[in-house]
Amino acid sequence: RLVVQASPCRSLRLTFHPKSTDMSTSGVLVNPDVQSTFMKLSEGKKEFRYIIFKIEDREVVVESAVTQEDLEITGDDYEDSSKAAFEKFVADLKARTDGYSDCRYAVFDFKFTCSRVGAGASKMDKIVFIQLCPDGASIKKKMVYASSASAIKASLGTGKILQFQVSDESEMSHKELLSKLTEKYNDN
């Protein structure tokens, strides 16, 4: 947070007060835990499978971080293109938003298989960023989440993630997301 103070002799004093990592145009800050938790999903041993974020007291915070073990899924995620894990993620998101009547941000580690020229079927891991601003949410909430999205994306590092904006439940279907991912990564 930058504070500007003017003295009677017209000189300016700038003071920087670090609190959270980034601030959006709406004045919402991003808690430093957002980035550190995301690193545990995106790098190394990938501790988390998905993370849900919410805005609370004018700050983006981690609401939930779920591990593969928490999902209690057996089998190969690449075989079903993360369908079982994604369905549990969607159910969790729906419950946390009271049936899609509230906004959230989320990241999901999507595992799938696609065809690549010269490589055949390739196993892919892509991190998907979802900005959920459902039609059932209040206009004020949708505006705050929309104007704060750039701050959380900057904190996460948009180069690592694919971004999707979702406004209703049909856009949260596994088939829809898988179609978009395979279209982007399949060699045609």
Side-chain angles (χ1 to χ4, degrees), residues 8-20:
C9 63
R10 298 185 190 252
S11 64
L12 293 177
R13 184 176 68 173
L14 299 175
T15 310
F16 184 70
H17 297 283
K19 179 185 178 204
S20 293

Side-chain angles (χ1 to χ4, degrees), residues 52-66:
I52 299 173
F53 309 97
K54 69 178 182 176
I55 296 176
E56 186 175 80
D57 300 324
R58 304 196 55 74
E59 184 175 45
V60 178
V61 296
V62 175
E63 181 177 18
S64 175
V66 176

Side-chain angles (χ1 to χ4, degrees), residues 165-177:
Q165 293 183 357
V166 177
S167 61
D168 67 41
E169 190 170 0
S170 68
E171 295 173 334
M172 285 293 294
S173 80
H174 176 266
K175 183 178 180 180
E176 173 98 6
L177 193 56

Side-chain angles (χ1 to χ4, degrees), residues 10-78:
R10 298 185 190 252
S11 64
L12 293 177
R13 184 176 68 173
L14 299 175
T15 310
F16 184 70
H17 297 283
K19 179 185 178 204
S20 293
T21 55
D22 293 297
M23 186 185 321
S24 68
T25 56
S26 65
V28 171
L29 300 168
V30 179
N31 187 293
D33 289 344
V34 166
Q35 186 176 33
S36 62
T37 304
F38 176 72
M39 292 299 183
K40 293 177 183 175
L41 178 142
S42 65
E43 296 177 0
K45 64 178 185 158
K46 296 192 174 195
E47 186 176 327
F48 297 116
R49 189 60 192 275
Y50 68 83
I51 306 167
I52 299 173
F53 309 97
K54 69 178 182 176
I55 296 176
E56 186 175 80
D57 300 324
R58 304 196 55 74
E59 184 175 45
V60 178
V61 296
V62 175
E63 181 177 18
S64 175
V66 176
T67 66
Q68 183 71 25
E69 292 75 35
D70 292 337
L71 295 174
E72 299 177 345
I73 295 173
T74 57
D76 185 356
D77 266 334
Y78 295 101

Side-chain angles (χ1 to χ4, degrees), residues 97-109:
T97 60
D98 195 25
Y100 297 115
S101 63
D102 201 356
C103 301
R104 291 293 188 279
Y105 304 116
V107 287
F108 181 84
D109 182 9

